[in-house]
Amino acid sequence: QVQLVESGGGLAQAGASLRLSCAASVRTLSTITMGWFRQAPGKEREFVAAITRNSGNTLYADSVKGRFTISRDNAKNTVYLQMNSLKPEDTALYYCSATRLFGGPYYRTDSYDYWGQGTQVTVSS
């Protein structure tokens, strides 16, 4: 069982930056693939970014590529999502996710076994 706790959400103006954190209750963070998803009111949960186990390859949704960066700190068992140049359309509840399995595809919600409770990000224009 992996427990995930997100933090760092809040209110920001368009163009500003926020950094989300996800602390994972695992012994070795690099042995699991971690993802970030988001869900806006009335919409389906959508993929934002992922960082794969071992190699640490990163994947991004086209909508955030060049603005968001996913990274991990293995010593702190924490994954981060640095969000720059925020836009009002980035407003959503952001979820951290994890899987021990290989394969993916990691842009799909059903590729993940564990989910956090979410942290709200609201971007005003």
Side-chain angles (χ1 to χ4, degrees):
Q1 187 76 7
V2 177
Q3 292 184 327
L4 304 171
V5 179
E6 303 101 331
S7 61
L11 178 64
Q13 289 191 328
S17 298
L18 283 175
R19 188 177 77 160
L20 305 184
S21 300
C22 175
S25 63
V26 295
R27 177 172 292 183
T28 308
L29 186 65
S30 60
T31 61
I32 58 175
T33 292
M34 302 286 292
W36 285 97
F37 288 75
R38 65 188 182 186
Q39 189 167 16
K43 295 188 176 182
E44 292 188 352
R45 193 170 298 188
E46 65 173 8
F47 171 72
V48 176
I51 185 164
T52 62
R53 58 187 292 169
N54 299 328
S55 63
N57 291 329
T58 57
L59 297 79
Y60 296 95
D62 288 344
S63 59
V64 306
K65 203 171 291 183
R67 299 188 299 123
F68 290 11
T69 302
I70 188 170
S71 62
R72 69 187 182 203
D73 185 332
N74 293 333
K76 295 183 179 180
N77 283 344
T78 299
V79 171
Y80 302 98
L81 184 68
Q82 178 67 43
M83 306 185 295
N84 298 330
S85 302
L86 283 163
K87 302 176 181 180
E89 50 264 43
D90 294 320
T91 295
L93 189 59
Y94 282 70
Y95 294 93
C96 178
S97 57
T99 180
R100 296 186 184 277
L101 302 178
F102 286 104
Y106 297 120
Y107 55 82
R108 290 177 59 96
T109 57
D110 58 5
S111 294
Y112 295 86
D113 308 300
Y114 307 101
W115 293 86
Q117 293 300 305
T119 184
Q120 179 67 39
V121 171
T122 302
V123 184
S124 61
S125 58

